[in-house]
Amino acid sequence: MKRPTILDIARAAGVSKGAVSYALNGRPGVSAATRAKILAIAEEMGWVPSSAARALSSDRADAVGLVAARTPELLATEPYFMRVVAGIEETLAGRGTALLLTTVRDEATELDTYRRWWIGRRVDGVLLLDMRTDDPRPALLTELGAPGVVMGAQRGYGGLASTRVDDHDAMLRAVGHLSGLGHRRIARVSGPQRLEHAARRSRYFDEACRSLLGAEQVQVEADYTAHGGLVATRGLLARPNPPTAIIFDNDVMAVAAVSELTSAGVRIPTDLAVLAWDDSPLCELVRPAVTAFEHDVSAEAGAAARLLLARLTTGTAEDVWLGPRQLRVRDSTAPVGVTRSA
């Protein structure tokens, strides 16, 4: 069935398109009788304004944008991102605002997407995820005049509000947990160092190891995928003095390592202790279950969405500090040489 247009209503009412526009948008320029006639015909015909028309008339799109630069492999296996999306959508839905979501493979496409969305009035503001060490997105949003909120920021970004996290304290507790169990060779499998949070955690890991162990420990870079984590783990265990404990930068890499190593006869945690930075149901499904930092990803994403909505409503918003991560100790970590029963 063809959706009726303003021209269809104008023809049925015997008036001009301008008169119909005035009546439908509640503007002066038509008599009360004509307005009532036009509205009655519009209702009878089942007319509803398009989202583009609403955006043009009210200067609001009632939508928030999120561009995710992630590979298909990571999207298919990583629980973290889907929990982020769920938290954002739950918050926006309560305010009648939609989430415009797309995934891209490269930075140029990502930046072009923001430009197209803003120029085309597709979104009222955007959420930024996975900030890079030399990130062009804040400057682009400033250039466009587009409101934005940074999710899980490691530092402040002038002109953009952020939800902030303290990874320094969490890293100190991670290394402290393992060193307290007697581990003296602790390695870390990080995410891509181009990401601000991965780079900062690397620095915090070095600081924690110097403080608690007296020397820096080995770190290797991976890509957050199961395959990348396994390649990094194999390299670490092939070293002349392999680690007795590994901290993984996400749950996917940690769980993949536990699964492969136990199948190969490695006793976890007797031969190798494993700790994951992000907790998820994956950490409890594998055996032994993985010690991990627990935090409510959906709630944190919702906080970022509320911050952006506040910015759109009031014109200003202050940074919000997220609560500390809680270390959930499970069977993948134990004192050196101690075997935990399943």
Side-chain angles (χ1 to χ4, degrees), residues 67 69-70 103-112 132:
V67 181
R70 270 169 160 72
T103 60
V104 298
R105 281 184 171 272
D106 59 85
E107 182 180 290
T109 304
E110 181 181 23
L111 297 178
D112 182 62
R132 297 181 281 274

Side-chain angles (χ1 to χ4, degrees), residues 6 27 47 156 160 230 234 261 268 275 278 300 313:
I6 287 180
R27 298 174 181 171
W47 180 85
L160 297 178
L230 288 174
R234 293 169 192 150
L261 293 174
I268 294 176
L275 187 151
D278 287 316
E300 292 174 355
T313 301

Side-chain angles (χ1 to χ4, degrees), residues 20 22 41 113 122 151 227 271 280 307 317 328:
V20 173
Y22 289 147
I41 291 173
T113 300
R122 301 283 304 281
M151 303 173 62
H227 175 72
D271 301 326
S280 78
L307 194 60
R328 180 62 64 90

Side-chain angles (χ1 to χ4, degrees), residues 260-297:
E260 175 173 286
L261 293 174
T262 54
S263 297
V266 176
R267 298 171 301 167
I268 294 176
T270 306
D271 301 326
L272 180 73
V274 171
L275 187 151
W277 195 260
D278 287 316
D279 195 13
S280 78
L282 289 179
C283 293
E284 296 184 84
L285 292 175
V286 73
R287 290 293 178 268
V290 177
T291 294
F293 277 110
E294 181 181 56
H295 59 117
D296 193 333
V297 175

